Amino acid sequence: MPVTTFVPDPSAPQPGQLLARGVCRLLATHDFACLEEFVPERGKRVDVMAVGPKGALWVVECKSSRADFMSDAKWQGYLDWCDRFFWAVDAEFPLDLLPEASGLIIADAYGGEIVRMPDEQKLAGARRAAMTRKFARDAARRLQGVRDPRI
Amino acid sequence: MPVTTFVPDPSAPQPGQLLARGVCRLLATHDFACLEEFVPERGKRVDVMAVGPKGALWVVECKSSRADFMSDAKWQGYLDWCDRFFWAVDAEFPLDLLPEASGLIIADAYGGEIVRMPDEQKLAGARRAAMTRKFARDAARRLQGVRDPRI
């Protein structure tokens, strides 16, 4: 009888990516357009960036476990890129770990709910314009890459 | 012997759409991110909207034939949505039909060349912000529709 070894599928979505999918579905119901794994500047990456109908910019960081959260020392930097910042976690997550001033989304791979709406810290106009422009260009280039893979 | 009738494939790209694909490939080489069939406001549609690295907005209308061009009475309205406006046509197109102040791109389905760069008519800031925001949201939603078709 052959011995088989379990090898994880490298293309399978990670838990944080599944949370991000649910977050994007949720935010679509709030009329926010989302881009996953958005890079606001070189070396920084946010799990979900969302643009609202009037231009509001929200960032959502998706944490699949305590370890995932504890290893992220850079989250306060995310506040520089958005009007509102949220954590998204699943229903098992130890919520008392999370800073109370942040927004909170409870989600799974299929959707979620905004549990706590954070205060708004409005971005300055020039930063907002630069972020919106980068979001626009990144989203369009990713779409073109899907529609016309020769690019 | 059965009689077969030629029925056009409704999902096959139209000549104008093939031109648009080539235009998007061309503009990508100029570091412009493109969105096809962009709707700047209800009832208006432009063939290609492109956002440059510093936020310039270009509109390209793709005309596959004289008839296609002559039936478009609304092109001057497109000037309200961009800093520069271009026609894109193939090498067979009768160029003397085209207004000389407009930009000109000669293209096919695979690429093209900017033959005439039009003068820039800078959009007002509020219009630019609104167009960039709509471009950002439309591109992200289309991408989400591809990545997560359940939406």
Side-chain angles (χ1 to χ4, degrees), chain B residues 73-129:
Chain B
K74 61 193 182 305
W75 70 271
Q76 287 189 311
Y78 303 146
L79 303 177
D80 297 343
W81 312 111
C82 57
D83 303 305
R84 297 187 203 263
F85 175 80
F86 300 78
W87 300 103
V89 298
D90 66 23
E92 310 302 313
F93 191 91
L95 294 181
D96 50 359
L97 288 181
L98 299 174
E100 286 200 2
S102 309
L104 176 61
I105 290 170
I106 306 287
D108 59 21
Y110 304 98
E113 188 179 341
I114 297 175
V115 173
R116 188 169 63 226
M117 180 66 73
D119 289 342
E120 188 175 48
Q121 305 282 342
K122 278 218 179 218
L123 286 181
R127 172 66 63 91
R128 179 186 313 283

CSV table of all heavy atoms in Angstrom, one decimal, chain B residues 73-129:
chain,number,residue,atom,x,y,z
B,73,ALA,N,-22.8,61.4,-33.3
B,73,ALA,CA,-23.0,62.9,-33.3
B,73,ALA,C,-22.6,63.4,-31.9
B,73,ALA,O,-22.7,64.6,-31.7
B,73,ALA,CB,-24.5,63.2,-33.6
B,74,LYS,N,-22.3,62.6,-31.0
B,74,LYS,CA,-22.2,63.1,-29.6
B,74,LYS,C,-20.7,63.2,-29.1
B,74,LYS,O,-20.5,63.5,-28.0
B,74,LYS,CB,-22.9,62.1,-28.7
B,74,LYS,CG,-22.4,60.7,-28.7
B,74,LYS,CD,-23.3,59.7,-28.1
B,74,LYS,CE,-22.7,58.3,-28.1
B,74,LYS,NZ,-22.3,57.8,-29.4
B,75,TRP,N,-19.8,63.1,-30.1
B,75,TRP,CA,-18.4,63.0,-29.6
B,75,TRP,C,-17.9,64.2,-28.9
B,75,TRP,O,-17.1,64.1,-27.9
B,75,TRP,CB,-17.4,62.6,-30.7
B,75,TRP,CG,-17.2,63.6,-31.7
B,75,TRP,CD1,-17.9,63.9,-32.8
B,75,TRP,CD2,-16.2,64.7,-31.7
B,75,TRP,NE1,-17.4,64.9,-33.5
B,75,TRP,CE2,-16.4,65.4,-32.8
B,75,TRP,CE3,-15.1,65.0,-30.8
B,75,TRP,CZ2,-15.5,66.5,-33.1
B,75,TRP,CZ3,-14.3,66.1,-31.0
B,75,TRP,CH2,-14.5,66.8,-32.2
B,76,GLN,N,-18.4,65.4,-29.2
B,76,GLN,CA,-17.9,66.6,-28.6
B,76,GLN,C,-18.2,66.6,-27.1
B,76,GLN,O,-17.5,67.2,-26.3
B,76,GLN,CB,-18.4,67.9,-29.3
B,76,GLN,CG,-17.7,68.0,-30.6
B,76,GLN,CD,-18.0,69.4,-31.3
B,76,GLN,OE1,-19.2,69.7,-31.4
B,76,GLN,NE2,-17.0,70.1,-31.7
B,77,GLY,N,-19.3,65.9,-26.7
B,77,GLY,CA,-19.6,65.7,-25.3
B,77,GLY,C,-18.5,65.0,-24.5
B,77,GLY,O,-18.4,65.2,-23.3
B,78,TYR,N,-17.8,64.1,-25.2
B,78,TYR,CA,-16.7,63.4,-24.5
B,78,TYR,C,-15.6,64.3,-24.0
B,78,TYR,O,-14.9,63.9,-23.1
B,78,TYR,CB,-16.1,62.4,-25.5
B,78,TYR,CG,-17.0,61.4,-26.1
B,78,TYR,CD1,-16.8,60.9,-27.4
B,78,TYR,CD2,-18.1,60.9,-25.5
B,78,TYR,CE1,-17.6,60.0,-28.0
B,78,TYR,CE2,-18.9,59.9,-26.0
B,78,TYR,CZ,-18.7,59.5,-27.3
B,78,TYR,OH,-19.5,58.6,-27.9
B,79,LEU,N,-15.5,65.5,-24.6
B,79,LEU,CA,-14.4,66.4,-24.2
B,79,LEU,C,-14.6,66.8,-22.7
B,79,LEU,O,-13.7,67.3,-22.1
B,79,LEU,CB,-14.4,67.6,-25.1
B,79,LEU,CG,-14.2,67.3,-26.6
B,79,LEU,CD1,-14.2,68.6,-27.4
B,79,LEU,CD2,-12.8,66.6,-26.8
B,80,ASP,N,-15.9,66.7,-22.3
B,80,ASP,CA,-16.1,67.1,-20.9
B,80,ASP,C,-15.6,66.2,-19.9
B,80,ASP,O,-15.6,66.5,-18.7
B,80,ASP,CB,-17.7,67.2,-20.6
B,80,ASP,CG,-18.3,68.3,-21.5
B,80,ASP,OD1,-17.6,69.2,-22.0
B,80,ASP,OD2,-19.6,68.2,-21.7
B,81,TRP,N,-15.1,65.0,-20.3
B,81,TRP,CA,-14.7,64.0,-19.3
B,81,TRP,C,-13.2,63.7,-19.3
B,81,TRP,O,-12.8,62.7,-18.7
B,81,TRP,CB,-15.5,62.7,-19.6
B,81,TRP,CG,-16.9,62.9,-19.8
B,81,TRP,CD1,-17.7,62.8,-21.0
B,81,TRP,CD2,-17.9,63.3,-18.9
B,81,TRP,NE1,-19.0,63.1,-20.8
B,81,TRP,CE2,-19.1,63.4,-19.5
B,81,TRP,CE3,-17.8,63.6,-17.5
B,81,TRP,CZ2,-20.3,63.8,-18.8
B,81,TRP,CZ3,-18.9,64.0,-16.8
B,81,TRP,CH2,-20.2,64.1,-17.5
B,82,CYS,N,-12.5,64.5,-20.0
B,82,CYS,CA,-11.1,64.1,-20.1
B,82,CYS,C,-10.2,65.3,-20.3
B,82,CYS,O,-10.6,66.4,-20.7
B,82,CYS,CB,-10.9,63.1,-21.3
B,82,CYS,SG,-11.4,63.8,-22.9
B,83,ASP,N,-8.9,65.1,-20.1
B,83,ASP,CA,-7.9,66.1,-20.4
B,83,ASP,C,-7.4,66.1,-21.9
B,83,ASP,O,-7.0,67.1,-22.4
B,83,ASP,CB,-6.6,65.9,-19.5
B,83,ASP,CG,-6.9,65.9,-18.1
B,83,ASP,OD1,-7.5,66.9,-17.6
B,83,ASP,OD2,-6.6,64.9,-17.4
B,84,ARG,N,-7.5,64.9,-22.5
B,84,ARG,CA,-7.1,64.8,-23.9
B,84,ARG,C,-8.1,63.7,-24.5
B,84,ARG,O,-8.4,62.7,-23.9
B,84,ARG,CB,-5.7,64.3,-24.1
B,84,ARG,CG,-4.6,65.2,-23.5
B,84,ARG,CD,-3.2,64.6,-23.9
B,84,ARG,NE,-2.2,65.1,-23.1
B,84,ARG,CZ,-1.4,66.2,-23.4
B,84,ARG,NH1,-1.5,66.8,-24.5
B,84,ARG,NH2,-0.5,66.6,-22.5
B,85,PHE,N,-8.4,64.0,-25.7
B,85,PHE,CA,-9.4,63.1,-26.5
B,85,PHE,C,-8.7,62.6,-27.7
B,85,PHE,O,-8.2,63.4,-28.5
B,85,PHE,CB,-10.7,63.9,-26.8
B,85,PHE,CG,-11.6,63.1,-27.6
B,85,PHE,CD1,-12.4,62.2,-27.1
B,85,PHE,CD2,-11.7,63.3,-29.0
B,85,PHE,CE1,-13.3,61.4,-27.8
B,85,PHE,CE2,-12.5,62.5,-29.8
B,85,PHE,CZ,-13.3,61.6,-29.2
B,86,PHE,N,-8.9,61.3,-28.0
B,86,PHE,CA,-8.3,60.7,-29.2
B,86,PHE,C,-9.4,59.9,-30.0
B,86,PHE,O,-10.2,59.3,-29.3
B,86,PHE,CB,-7.2,59.7,-28.8
B,86,PHE,CG,-6.1,60.2,-28.0
B,86,PHE,CD1,-6.2,60.5,-26.7
B,86,PHE,CD2,-4.8,60.4,-28.6
B,86,PHE,CE1,-5.1,60.9,-25.9
B,86,PHE,CE2,-3.7,60.8,-27.9
B,86,PHE,CZ,-3.9,61.1,-26.6
B,87,TRP,N,-9.2,59.9,-31.3
B,87,TRP,CA,-9.9,58.9,-32.1
B,87,TRP,C,-8.9,57.7,-32.3
B,87,TRP,O,-7.7,58.0,-32.5
B,87,TRP,CB,-10.2,59.4,-33.5
B,87,TRP,CG,-11.2,60.6,-33.4
B,87,TRP,CD1,-10.9,61.9,-33.6
B,87,TRP,CD2,-12.6,60.5,-33.2
B,87,TRP,NE1,-12.0,62.6,-33.5
B,87,TRP,CE2,-13.1,61.8,-33.2
B,87,TRP,CE3,-13.5,59.5,-32.9
B,87,TRP,CZ2,-14.4,62.1,-33.0
B,87,TRP,CZ3,-14.8,59.8,-32.7
B,87,TRP,CH2,-15.3,61.1,-32.8
B,88,ALA,N,-9.4,56.5,-32.3
B,88,ALA,CA,-8.6,55.4,-32.7
B,88,ALA,C,-9.3,54.7,-33.9
B,88,ALA,O,-10.5,54.4,-33.8
B,88,ALA,CB,-8.5,54.4,-31.5
B,89,VAL,N,-8.5,54.5,-34.9
B,89,VAL,CA,-9.0,53.9,-36.2
B,89,VAL,C,-8.0,53.0,-36.7
B,89,VAL,O,-6.8,53.0,-36.3
B,89,VAL,CB,-9.4,55.0,-37.2
B,89,VAL,CG1,-10.4,56.0,-36.7
B,89,VAL,CG2,-8.1,55.8,-37.6
B,90,ASP,N,-8.4,52.2,-37.7
B,90,ASP,CA,-7.4,51.3,-38.3
B,90,ASP,C,-6.8,51.9,-39.5
B,90,ASP,O,-7.1,53.0,-39.9
B,90,ASP,CB,-8.0,49.9,-38.6
B,90,ASP,CG,-9.1,50.0,-39.7
B,90,ASP,OD1,-9.0,51.0,-40.5
B,90,ASP,OD2,-9.9,49.1,-39.8
B,91,ALA,N,-5.8,51.3,-40.1
B,91,ALA,CA,-5.0,51.9,-41.1
B,91,ALA,C,-5.8,52.2,-42.4
B,91,ALA,O,-5.4,52.9,-43.3
B,91,ALA,CB,-3.8,51.0,-41.4
B,92,GLU,N,-7.0,51.5,-42.6
B,92,GLU,CA,-7.8,51.7,-43.7
B,92,GLU,C,-8.7,52.9,-43.6
B,92,GLU,O,-9.4,53.3,-44.6
B,92,GLU,CB,-8.7,50.5,-44.0
B,92,GLU,CG,-8.0,49.2,-43.9
B,92,GLU,CD,-6.9,49.1,-45.0
B,92,GLU,OE1,-7.2,49.5,-46.1
B,92,GLU,OE2,-5.7,48.8,-44.6
B,93,PHE,N,-8.9,53.5,-42.4
B,93,PHE,CA,-9.9,54.5,-42.2
B,93,PHE,C,-9.6,55.8,-42.9
B,93,PHE,O,-8.4,56.2,-43.0
B,93,PHE,CB,-9.9,54.8,-40.7
B,93,PHE,CG,-11.1,55.6,-40.3
B,93,PHE,CD1,-12.3,55.0,-39.9
B,93,PHE,CD2,-11.0,57.0,-40.2
B,93,PHE,CE1,-13.4,55.8,-39.5
B,93,PHE,CE2,-12.1,57.8,-39.9
B,93,PHE,CZ,-13.3,57.2,-39.5
B,94,PRO,N,-10.6,56.5,-43.5
B,94,PRO,CA,-10.4,57.8,-44.2
B,94,PRO,C,-10.1,58.9,-43.2
B,94,PRO,O,-11.0,59.5,-42.7
B,94,PRO,CB,-11.7,58.0,-45.0
B,94,PRO,CG,-12.7,57.2,-44.3
B,94,PRO,CD,-12.0,56.0,-43.6
B,95,LEU,N,-8.8,59.2,-43.0
B,95,LEU,CA,-8.4,60.1,-41.9
B,95,LEU,C,-8.9,61.5,-42.1
B,95,LEU,O,-9.0,62.2,-41.1
B,95,LEU,CB,-6.9,60.1,-41.8
B,95,LEU,CG,-6.2,58.8,-41.4
B,95,LEU,CD1,-4.7,58.9,-41.3
B,95,LEU,CD2,-6.8,58.3,-40.1
B,96,ASP,N,-9.2,61.9,-43.4
B,96,ASP,CA,-9.7,63.3,-43.5
B,96,ASP,C,-11.0,63.6,-42.9
B,96,ASP,O,-11.5,64.7,-42.8
B,96,ASP,CB,-9.6,63.7,-45.0
B,96,ASP,CG,-10.2,62.7,-45.9
B,96,ASP,OD1,-10.8,61.7,-45.4
B,96,ASP,OD2,-10.3,63.0,-47.1
B,97,LEU,N,-11.7,62.5,-42.5
B,97,LEU,CA,-13.0,62.7,-41.8
B,97,LEU,C,-12.8,63.3,-40.4
B,97,LEU,O,-13.7,63.9,-39.9
B,97,LEU,CB,-13.7,61.4,-41.7
B,97,LEU,CG,-14.4,60.7,-42.9
B,97,LEU,CD1,-15.0,59.4,-42.5
B,97,LEU,CD2,-15.4,61.6,-43.5
B,98,LEU,N,-11.7,63.0,-39.8
B,98,LEU,CA,-11.5,63.3,-38.4
B,98,LEU,C,-11.1,64.7,-38.1
B,98,LEU,O,-10.3,65.3,-38.8
B,98,LEU,CB,-10.4,62.4,-37.8
B,98,LEU,CG,-10.7,60.9,-38.0
B,98,LEU,CD1,-9.5,60.1,-37.5
B,98,LEU,CD2,-11.9,60.5,-37.2
B,99,PRO,N,-11.7,65.4,-37.1
B,99,PRO,CA,-11.3,66.7,-36.7
B,99,PRO,C,-9.8,66.8,-36.4
B,99,PRO,O,-9.3,66.0,-35.7
B,99,PRO,CB,-12.2,67.0,-35.5
B,99,PRO,CG,-13.2,65.9,-35.4
B,99,PRO,CD,-12.7,64.8,-36.2
B,100,GLU,N,-9.2,67.9,-36.9
B,100,GLU,CA,-7.7,67.9,-36.8
B,100,GLU,C,-7.3,68.2,-35.4
B,100,GLU,O,-6.1,67.9,-35.0
B,100,GLU,CB,-7.1,69.0,-37.7
B,100,GLU,CG,-7.2,68.5,-39.1
B,100,GLU,CD,-6.2,69.3,-40.0
B,100,GLU,OE1,-5.5,70.2,-39.5
B,100,GLU,OE2,-6.2,69.0,-41.2
B,101,ALA,N,-8.1,68.8,-34.5
B,101,ALA,CA,-7.7,69.1,-33.2
B,101,ALA,C,-7.7,67.9,-32.3
B,101,ALA,O,-7.1,67.9,-31.2
B,101,ALA,CB,-8.6,70.2,-32.6
B,102,SER,N,-8.4,66.8,-32.7
B,102,SER,CA,-8.4,65.6,-31.8
B,102,SER,C,-7.1,64.9,-31.9
B,102,SER,O,-6.4,64.9,-32.9
B,102,SER,CB,-9.6,64.7,-32.2
B,102,SER,OG,-10.8,65.4,-32.4
B,103,GLY,N,-6.9,64.1,-30.9
B,103,GLY,CA,-5.8,63.1,-31.0
B,103,GLY,C,-6.1,62.0,-31.9
B,103,GLY,O,-7.2,61.8,-32.3
B,104,LEU,N,-5.0,61.3,-32.4
B,104,LEU,CA,-5.2,60.3,-33.4
B,104,LEU,C,-4.3,59.1,-33.0
B,104,LEU,O,-3.1,59.2,-32.8
B,104,LEU,CB,-4.9,60.7,-34.8
B,104,LEU,CG,-5.0,59.7,-35.9
B,104,LEU,CD1,-6.4,59.1,-36.0
B,104,LEU,CD2,-4.5,60.3,-37.2
B,105,ILE,N,-5.0,57.9,-32.9
B,105,ILE,CA,-4.3,56.7,-32.7
B,105,ILE,C,-4.6,55.7,-33.8
B,105,ILE,O,-5.8,55.6,-34.2
B,105,ILE,CB,-4.7,56.0,-31.3
B,105,ILE,CG1,-4.2,56.8,-30.1
B,105,ILE,CG2,-4.2,54.6,-31.2
B,105,ILE,CD1,-4.8,56.4,-28.8
B,106,ILE,N,-3.6,55.2,-34.5
B,106,ILE,CA,-3.8,54.1,-35.5
B,106,ILE,C,-3.6,52.8,-34.7
B,106,ILE,O,-2.5,52.6,-34.1
B,106,ILE,CB,-2.9,54.3,-36.7
B,106,ILE,CG1,-3.0,55.6,-37.3
B,106,ILE,CG2,-3.2,53.2,-37.7
B,106,ILE,CD1,-4.2,55.9,-38.1
B,107,ALA,N,-4.6,51.9,-34.8
B,107,ALA,CA,-4.5,50.7,-34.0
B,107,ALA,C,-5.1,49.5,-34.8
B,107,ALA,O,-5.8,49.7,-35.8
B,107,ALA,CB,-5.2,50.9,-32.7
B,108,ASP,N,-4.8,48.3,-34.3
B,108,ASP,CA,-5.5,47.1,-34.6
B,108,ASP,C,-5.8,46.4,-33.3
B,108,ASP,O,-5.7,47.0,-32.3
B,108,ASP,CB,-4.7,46.3,-35.7
B,108,ASP,CG,-3.4,45.9,-35.2
B,108,ASP,OD1,-3.1,45.8,-33.9
B,108,ASP,OD2,-2.5,45.5,-36.0
B,109,ALA,N,-6.1,45.1,-33.4
B,109,ALA,CA,-6.5,44.4,-32.2
B,109,ALA,C,-5.3,44.1,-31.3
B,109,ALA,O,-5.5,43.7,-30.2
B,109,ALA,CB,-7.2,43.1,-32.6
B,110,TYR,N,-4.1,44.3,-31.8
B,110,TYR,CA,-2.9,43.9,-31.1
B,110,TYR,C,-2.1,45.0,-30.5
B,110,TYR,O,-1.1,44.8,-29.8
B,110,TYR,CB,-2.1,43.0,-32.0
B,110,TYR,CG,-2.9,41.8,-32.5
B,110,TYR,CD1,-3.5,41.9,-33.8
B,110,TYR,CD2,-3.2,40.7,-31.7
B,110,TYR,CE1,-4.3,40.8,-34.2
B,110,TYR,CE2,-4.0,39.7,-32.1
B,110,TYR,CZ,-4.5,39.7,-33.4
B,110,TYR,OH,-5.3,38.7,-33.8
B,111,GLY,N,-2.4,46.2,-30.9
B,111,GLY,CA,-1.6,47.3,-30.5
B,111,GLY,C,-1.8,48.5,-31.3
B,111,GLY,O,-2.8,48.6,-32.1
B,112,GLY,N,-1.0,49.5,-31.3
B,112,GLY,CA,-1.2,50.7,-32.1
B,112,GLY,C,-0.1,51.7,-31.8
B,112,GLY,O,0.9,51.4,-31.2
B,113,GLU,N,-0.4,53.0,-32.3
B,113,GLU,CA,0.6,54.0,-32.1
B,113,GLU,C,-0.1,55.3,-32.0
B,113,GLU,O,-1.2,55.6,-32.7
B,113,GLU,CB,1.5,54.1,-33.4
B,113,GLU,CG,2.7,55.0,-33.3
B,113,GLU,CD,3.5,55.0,-34.6
B,113,GLU,OE1,3.4,54.0,-35.3
B,113,GLU,OE2,4.2,56.0,-34.7
B,114,ILE,N,0.4,56.2,-31.1
B,114,ILE,CA,-0.2,57.5,-31.0
B,114,ILE,C,0.4,58.4,-32.2
B,114,ILE,O,1.6,58.6,-32.2
B,114,ILE,CB,0.1,58.2,-29.7
B,114,ILE,CG1,-0.5,57.4,-28.5
B,114,ILE,CG2,-0.3,59.6,-29.6
B,114,ILE,CD1,-0.1,57.9,-27.1
B,115,VAL,N,-0.4,58.8,-33.1
B,115,VAL,CA,0.0,59.5,-34.3
B,115,VAL,C,0.0,61.0,-34.1
B,115,VAL,O,0.8,61.7,-34.6
B,115,VAL,CB,-0.8,59.1,-35.5
B,115,VAL,CG1,-0.4,59.9,-36.8
B,115,VAL,CG2,-0.6,57.6,-35.8
B,116,ARG,N,-1.0,61.4,-33.4
B,116,ARG,CA,-1.2,62.9,-33.1
B,116,ARG,C,-1.6,63.1,-31.7
B,116,ARG,O,-2.6,62.5,-31.3
B,116,ARG,CB,-2.2,63.5,-34.1
B,116,ARG,CG,-2.2,65.0,-34.0
B,116,ARG,CD,-3.1,65.6,-35.1
B,116,ARG,NE,-4.5,65.2,-35.1
B,116,ARG,CZ,-5.2,64.7,-36.1
B,116,ARG,NH1,-4.6,64.6,-37.3
B,116,ARG,NH2,-6.4,64.4,-36.0
B,117,MET,N,-0.8,63.8,-30.9
B,117,MET,CA,-1.1,64.1,-29.5
B,117,MET,C,-1.9,65.4,-29.5
B,117,MET,O,-1.4,66.4,-29.9
B,117,MET,CB,0.2,64.3,-28.7
B,117,MET,CG,0.0,64.5,-27.2
B,117,MET,SD,-0.7,63.2,-26.3
B,117,MET,CE,0.7,62.1,-26.2
B,118,PRO,N,-3.1,65.4,-28.9
B,118,PRO,CA,-3.9,66.6,-28.9
B,118,PRO,C,-3.5,67.5,-27.8
B,118,PRO,O,-2.8,67.1,-26.8
B,118,PRO,CB,-5.3,66.0,-28.6
B,118,PRO,CG,-5.1,64.8,-27.7
B,118,PRO,CD,-3.8,64.2,-28.3
B,119,ASP,N,-3.9,68.8,-27.9
B,119,ASP,CA,-3.6,69.7,-26.8
B,119,ASP,C,-4.4,69.2,-25.6
B,119,ASP,O,-5.4,68.6,-25.7
B,119,ASP,CB,-4.1,71.1,-27.2
B,119,ASP,CG,-3.2,71.8,-28.2
B,119,ASP,OD1,-2.1,71.3,-28.4
B,119,ASP,OD2,-3.7,72.7,-28.9
B,120,GLU,N,-3.8,69.6,-24.4
B,120,GLU,CA,-4.5,69.2,-23.2
B,120,GLU,C,-5.5,70.3,-22.8
B,120,GLU,O,-5.2,71.5,-22.9
B,120,GLU,CB,-3.4,69.1,-22.1
B,120,GLU,CG,-3.9,68.5,-20.8
B,120,GLU,CD,-2.8,68.3,-19.8
B,120,GLU,OE1,-1.9,69.2,-19.6
B,120,GLU,OE2,-2.7,67.2,-19.2
B,121,GLN,N,-6.7,69.9,-22.4
B,121,GLN,CA,-7.7,70.8,-21.9
B,121,GLN,C,-8.0,70.3,-20.5
B,121,GLN,O,-8.8,69.4,-20.3
B,121,GLN,CB,-9.0,70.8,-22.7
B,121,GLN,CG,-8.8,71.0,-24.2
B,121,GLN,CD,-8.6,72.5,-24.5
B,121,GLN,OE1,-8.9,73.4,-23.6
B,121,GLN,NE2,-8.0,72.9,-25.6
B,122,LYS,N,-7.3,70.9,-19.5
B,122,LYS,CA,-7.3,70.3,-18.1
B,122,LYS,C,-8.7,70.3,-17.5
B,122,LYS,O,-9.4,71.4,-17.5
B,122,LYS,CB,-6.4,71.0,-17.2
B,122,LYS,CG,-4.9,70.5,-17.3
B,122,LYS,CD,-4.3,70.4,-16.0
B,122,LYS,CE,-2.9,69.9,-16.1
B,122,LYS,NZ,-2.5,69.0,-15.1
B,123,LEU,N,-9.2,69.2,-17.0
B,123,LEU,CA,-10.4,69.2,-16.3
B,123,LEU,C,-10.3,70.0,-15.0
B,123,LEU,O,-9.2,70.1,-14.4
B,123,LEU,CB,-10.8,67.7,-15.9
B,123,LEU,CG,-11.3,66.8,-17.0
B,123,LEU,CD1,-11.6,65.4,-16.4
B,123,LEU,CD2,-12.5,67.4,-17.7
B,124,ALA,N,-11.5,70.5,-14.5
B,124,ALA,CA,-11.5,71.2,-13.2
B,124,ALA,C,-11.3,70.1,-12.2
B,124,ALA,O,-11.6,68.9,-12.4
B,124,ALA,CB,-12.8,71.9,-13.0
B,125,GLY,N,-10.8,70.5,-11.0
B,125,GLY,CA,-10.4,69.5,-10.0
B,125,GLY,C,-11.6,68.7,-9.5
B,125,GLY,O,-11.4,67.4,-9.3
B,126,ALA,N,-12.8,69.3,-9.3
B,126,ALA,CA,-13.9,68.5,-8.8
B,126,ALA,C,-14.3,67.4,-9.8
B,126,ALA,O,-14.6,66.3,-9.5
B,126,ALA,CB,-15.1,69.4,-8.5
B,127,ARG,N,-14.3,67.8,-11.1
B,127,ARG,CA,-14.7,66.8,-12.2
B,127,ARG,C,-13.7,65.7,-12.2
B,127,ARG,O,-14.0,64.5,-12.4
B,127,ARG,CB,-14.8,67.5,-13.5
B,127,ARG,CG,-15.0,66.7,-14.7
B,127,ARG,CD,-16.3,66.0,-14.7
B,127,ARG,NE,-17.5,66.8,-14.8
B,127,ARG,CZ,-18.1,67.3,-15.9
B,127,ARG,NH1,-17.6,66.9,-17.1
B,127,ARG,NH2,-19.1,68.1,-15.9
B,128,ARG,N,-12.4,66.1,-12.1
B,128,ARG,CA,-11.3,65.0,-12.2
B,128,ARG,C,-11.5,64.1,-11.0
B,128,ARG,O,-11.4,62.8,-11.2
B,128,ARG,CB,-10.0,65.7,-12.1
B,128,ARG,CG,-8.8,64.7,-12.1
B,128,ARG,CD,-7.4,65.3,-11.9
B,128,ARG,NE,-7.3,66.5,-12.7
B,128,ARG,CZ,-7.0,66.4,-14.0
B,128,ARG,NH1,-6.8,65.2,-14.6
B,128,ARG,NH2,-7.0,67.5,-14.8
B,129,ALA,N,-11.8,64.6,-9.8
B,129,ALA,CA,-11.9,63.7,-8.6
B,129,ALA,C,-13.1,62.8,-8.8
B,129,ALA,O,-13.0,61.6,-8.5
B,129,ALA,CB,-12.1,64.6,-7.4
